[in-house]
Every structure is written in C-alpha cells, then in structure tokens.
Amino acid sequence: MFRYNVRGENIEVTEAIRNYVEKKVGKLERYFDNAPDATAHVNLKVYTEKTAKVEVTIPLPYLVLRAEETSPDLYASVDLVVDKLERQIRKFKTKINRRTRETALIDQAPVFTLDESADEEAAETDIVRTKRLSLKPMDSEEAVLQMNMLGHNFFIFEDAETNGISIVYRRKDGKYGLIETN
C-alpha cells in the first residue's frame, strides 16, 4: 500500500487536492500482485504564469517510478502524470515478462536505490546537488530501460557480466551508447 507525502510550493495543499492525488495515484496499485509498501512523493508547484507542475516519485524495491507534467490546470497535471506512470509500469512489466519467458532463469527484477541529498552547496565548487547510488547488477538492456523510465540521458549501473561499473547514455541521434570501465 502506498503512503503519500504531498507537498505544495506556492500552493496550499487542501484536503480536496490531497484526496484527489491519493485517489489517482492509488490506482497504480492495481498493477501489482502484492501492493508494495512504498511512499509516493508528490510535489505540486504553481507558477506565476498560472501553470501547475506535478512531480511524482515512487521508489520501489525493483524500480523507481518518476514522472512530471505541467499544464494550466492542477488536476489535469495530476491525471497526465498518472497516465505517464501507468505507461512506465506496463512497459516495465512487459519487459520483465518477455525476459522471464526467454530466459526462464530470472527470479525477480534487478534492484537499485537512489538516495538524494538535495541542494548541498560547497564553498569552492559549483556542486549544488549530490546523489548517492547503490548499484545492483544488471545488463545494459535493463539499464537503458531504467534510464528511460527515469527520464534521464544517462544511467550508471554495475554490469552483471563483468562486475564493473558501466554507463549507458542517449546519443544525439537517438541511439544508445555504452561506456565500460576497467
């Protein structure tokens, strides 16, 4: 079952908004056989130009679901974010099911966690954010899937074959590159 952490920036999170967010994001639980024990982090922002941005991050043991959407209507942004998250879940489940059928050796999806320390500023450098990763072994195909689900241009992972640290990235031509370390 999801727990909810709903925050508002430049907006007061009313009971009606909180209930709407919990109802919509709660629909994602139907995609899981056993509802995961996770916290859905929802950040609502309203800008001066009358647009609303909704960011949702749900760290799960085997996947991080993340989406954001901006539109003139807060409720429409929530709906659009939930649609994006549903597509991510369906894509991930299809990929895992296909891989399980092909190999019949996988017990569960690879696990990775992301621990963010936001807005740490150092006096001598321009580092404004630090992220700590706990890398789990996976192949490059799974790393590309994780990168796309996070909406990033690169992804760092431990290569299951070589046990080395590798990086996949999206090239300007839309294809993917792989950097392997020694």
Side-chain angles (χ1 to χ4, degrees), residues 79-91:
D79 292 341
L80 292 170
V81 163
V82 171
D83 290 344
K84 278 186 176 181
L85 293 170
E86 283 180 331
R87 283 193 300 274
Q88 288 179 14
I89 292 169
R90 283 195 302 270
K91 183 176 179 181

Side-chain angles (χ1 to χ4, degrees), residues 155-181:
F155 187 80
I156 304 168
F157 67 101
E158 181 180 343
D159 192 316
E161 292 179 17
T162 65
N163 293 330
I165 304 300
S166 297
I167 302 168
V168 291
Y169 62 96
R170 186 175 297 110
R171 297 166 34 106
K172 290 181 182 177
D173 62 6
K175 296 180 181 177
Y176 300 100
L178 174 66
I179 300 172
E180 297 176 328
T181 60

Side-chain angles (χ1 to χ4, degrees), residues 57 66 114-120 129-132 152:
T57 304
R66 184 181 185 292
L114 176 65
D115 178 25
E116 286 188 42
S117 299
D119 297 328
E120 290 182 7
R129 182 184 225 167
T130 301
K131 292 187 179 184
R132 288 179 177 76
H152 292 172

